[in-house]
């Protein structure tokens, strides 16, 4: 609200501060405080937060072309003088180092940031080589027992595997469950005794632990036996588990030897004299 009066021929105008404050949305009860309160320039505050000093300190870390002898805290180069921004604008070494000030001095230097080293890829761990399975092979001596068969230690019927040739030693050397072998001899035309067949004497527990299944069928049943020393080849063998006159084919109900224990082994005298020879393996 305006107030006017004339004094000494001069018109003097006054205005009501409360009316002005009210129009501005101020609290008219505290007009004196509003007047005393300093006005903050928002633009100045924002500018202060990113002052040239701070911006330069930040930017200088990203420019490969910089002032030679200053931290560029005030945006200028010193010794020789120049504007830091004039250095910053160069993006290659040649232009940076050729930059001159008014005195034809070169205030800039090429100082690109050191690239972070490329991390070496972590090599895959070298797999441990798969060890070759240990192949059993017997290198010991056999005891020759002429006129005897190899037998179980408790005199029970042994489990044996027959071969249709005279080389049981080779196969007994290859199997840990083989406790020896018995050669069956016959006279040839000249009256000499020669080996015609032979039988491997088996420790049943070791035979099963080696991964073999019990052969089904009567004594005399043929089946295949894998030979580990011959890389998966199979050997034709004949099951011998005691004589049974009422054996049903395809069953093992008549096996006299099933479940018997070889133990320490023993010798069985053959009535036919010298027709069988036992070669014991370490017993």
């Amino acid at each position: 609200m305006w107030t006017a009066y004339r004094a000494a021929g001069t018109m003097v105008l006054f205005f009501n501060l409360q009316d002005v404050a009210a129009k501005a949305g101020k609290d008219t009860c505290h007009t004196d405080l509003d007047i005393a309160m300093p006005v903050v320039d928002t633009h100045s505050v924002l500018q202060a937060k990113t002052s040239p000093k701070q911006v330069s300190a930040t930017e200088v870390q990203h420019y490969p072309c910089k002032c030679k002898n200053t931290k560029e805290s005030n945006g200028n180069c010193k010794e020789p003088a120049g504007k830091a921004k004039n250095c910053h604008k160069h993006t290659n070494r040649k232009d940076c180092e050729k930059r001159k000030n008014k005195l034809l001095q070169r205030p800039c230097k090429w100082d690109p940031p050191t690239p972070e080293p490329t991390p070496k890829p972590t090599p895959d761990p070298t797999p441990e080589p798969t060890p070759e399975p240990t192949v059993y092979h017997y290198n010991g001596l056999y005891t020759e027992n002429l006129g005897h068969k190899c037998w179980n230690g408790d005199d029970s019927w042994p489990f044996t595997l027959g071969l249709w040739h005279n080389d049981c030693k080779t196969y007994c050397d290859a199997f840990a469950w083989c406790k020896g072998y018995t050669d069956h001899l016959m006279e040839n035309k000249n009256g000499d005794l020669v080996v015609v067949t032979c039988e491997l004497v088996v420790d049943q527990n070791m035979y099963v632990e080696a991964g073999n299944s019990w052969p089904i069928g009567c004594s005399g049943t043929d089946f295949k036996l894998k030979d580990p020393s011959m890389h998966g080849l199979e050997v034709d063998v004949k099951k011998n588990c005691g004589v049974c006159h009422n054996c049903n084919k395809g069953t093992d109900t008549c096996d006299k030897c099933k479940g018997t224990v070889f133990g320490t082994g023993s010798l069985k005298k053959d009535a036919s004299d010298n027709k069988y020879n036992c070669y014991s393996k370490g017993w």
Side-chain angles (χ1 to χ4, degrees):
M1 179 176 180
W2 293 93
T3 303
Y5 70 92
R6 187 181 300 275
T10 303
M11 180 68 72
V12 180
L13 298 177
F14 294 92
F15 59 92
N16 190 319
L17 292 177
Q18 290 185 341
D19 290 343
V20 175
K23 289 179 181 180
K26 300 290 183 176
D27 185 357
T28 57
C29 295
H30 298 84
T31 304
D32 53 339
L33 296 178
D34 293 333
I35 294 172
M37 185 179 298
V39 178
V40 179
D41 187 343
T42 307
H43 177 72
S44 299
V45 172
L46 294 175
Q47 195 171 28
K49 290 182 178 179
T50 55
S51 64
K53 180 178 179 180
Q54 292 173 318
V55 171
S56 297
T58 303
E59 290 178 348
V60 74
Q61 300 176 12
H62 303 283
Y63 290 109
C65 188
K66 308 172 184 177
C67 296
K68 285 183 178 179
N69 300 307
T70 183
K71 295 182 179 179
E72 307 182 28
S73 59
N74 58 0
N76 295 323
C77 297
K78 298 177 182 179
E79 300 177 5
K83 290 290 185 182
K85 65 180 181 180
N86 290 333
C87 294
H88 295 168
K89 68 182 181 181
H90 295 296
T91 57
N92 64 74
R93 181 169 189 164
K94 182 178 179 181
D95 292 340
C96 175
E97 294 178 346
K98 288 177 61 177
R99 176 74 190 183
K100 295 181 181 180
N101 60 14
K102 294 179 180 180
L103 300 177
L104 302 181
Q105 297 170 322
R106 291 185 171 90
C108 306
K109 66 177 179 180
W110 184 254
D111 186 22
T114 303
E116 294 184 5
T118 303
K120 294 182 179 180
T122 303
D124 293 332
T126 303
E128 292 290 334
T130 303
E132 293 290 334
T134 302
V135 177
Y136 172 86
H137 185 79
Y138 180 71
N139 294 313
L141 298 176
Y142 289 84
T143 302
E144 184 179 50
N145 303 280
L146 300 178
H148 292 79
K149 292 181 178 181
C150 298
W151 214 253
N152 282 347
D154 60 358
D155 201 36
S156 59
W157 199 289
F159 173 37
T160 62
L161 299 176
L163 299 175
W164 287 107
H165 49 73
N166 58 1
D167 193 20
C168 270
K169 180 181 182 302
T170 298
Y171 294 98
C172 198
D173 286 343
F175 296 107
W177 45 257
C178 179
K179 309 305 290 184
Y181 61 93
T182 298
D183 282 344
H184 180 202
L185 300 91
M186 293 184 66
E187 291 184 0
N188 62 13
K189 294 179 180 180
N190 299 323
D192 298 326
L193 289 174
V194 295
V195 178
V196 289
T197 62
C198 59
E199 291 181 339
L200 304 176
V201 184
V202 180
D203 183 309
Q204 293 186 45
N205 291 333
M206 294 177 67
Y207 179 82
V208 173
E209 288 173 359
N212 300 295
S213 57
W214 182 259
I216 301 300
C218 306
S219 288
T221 300
D222 295 324
F223 66 98
K224 301 286 186 180
L225 179 67
K226 289 184 178 181
D227 182 359
S229 66
M230 299 178 68
H231 305 288
L233 296 179
E234 295 180 328
V235 184
D236 291 318
V237 294
K238 186 180 293 291
K239 174 183 176 181
N240 185 1
C241 199
V243 178
C244 179
H245 299 289
N246 298 315
C247 178
N248 295 321
K249 292 184 178 180
T251 69
D252 59 3
T253 55
C254 197
D255 288 342
K256 290 183 177 181
C257 71
K258 188 175 183 180
T260 60
V261 178
F262 178 80
T264 57
S266 66
L267 299 174
K268 186 79 169 177
K269 182 67 176 177
D270 183 64
S272 58
D273 291 336
N274 297 326
K275 295 294 179 68
Y276 293 93
N277 293 331
C278 168
Y279 295 87
S280 58
K281 183 181 182 181
W283 52 274

